Amino acid sequence: MKFARLSTFAAALMLSSLALAEGGGDRTFDRMMSANDRAVELFVAKEQARDPVVVNEKKDDQSKEL
């Protein structure tokens, strides 16, 4: 009987430690947010490195002459 109580206590202790332990959801969310931040940084760097769009000035000059 003593062994059964000890086994039950040990099983309850293991289950409670699993139930109260921090799950992998926090780590997964942290990795997701880090990856998102990195992707945004890369996107901004790519957009800033792109050549600016040049407006065709000849079109503006022709419309002023008419």
Side-chain angles (χ1 to χ4, degrees):
M1 194 68 178
K2 203 173 197 180
F3 180 72
R5 276 192 188 171
L6 188 58
S7 303
T8 305
F9 177 73
L13 188 62
M14 285 191 317
L15 286 176
S16 67
S17 68
L18 290 175
L20 298 175
E22 179 182 332
D26 291 337
R27 289 185 297 261
T28 303
F29 184 76
D30 186 43
R31 264 188 268 141
M32 179 192 65
M33 290 305 292
S34 297
N36 185 29
D37 291 342
R38 181 70 179 140
V40 169
E41 288 173 6
L42 290 173
F43 175 75
V44 168
K46 186 177 95 173
E47 288 296 313
Q48 289 176 346
R50 225 172 79 184
D51 292 333
V53 177
V54 179
V55 177
N56 189 354
E57 293 179 12
K58 291 181 181 181
K59 184 177 180 182
D60 292 336
D61 290 340
Q62 289 176 357
S63 63
K64 290 178 184 176
E65 291 175 5
L66 294 175

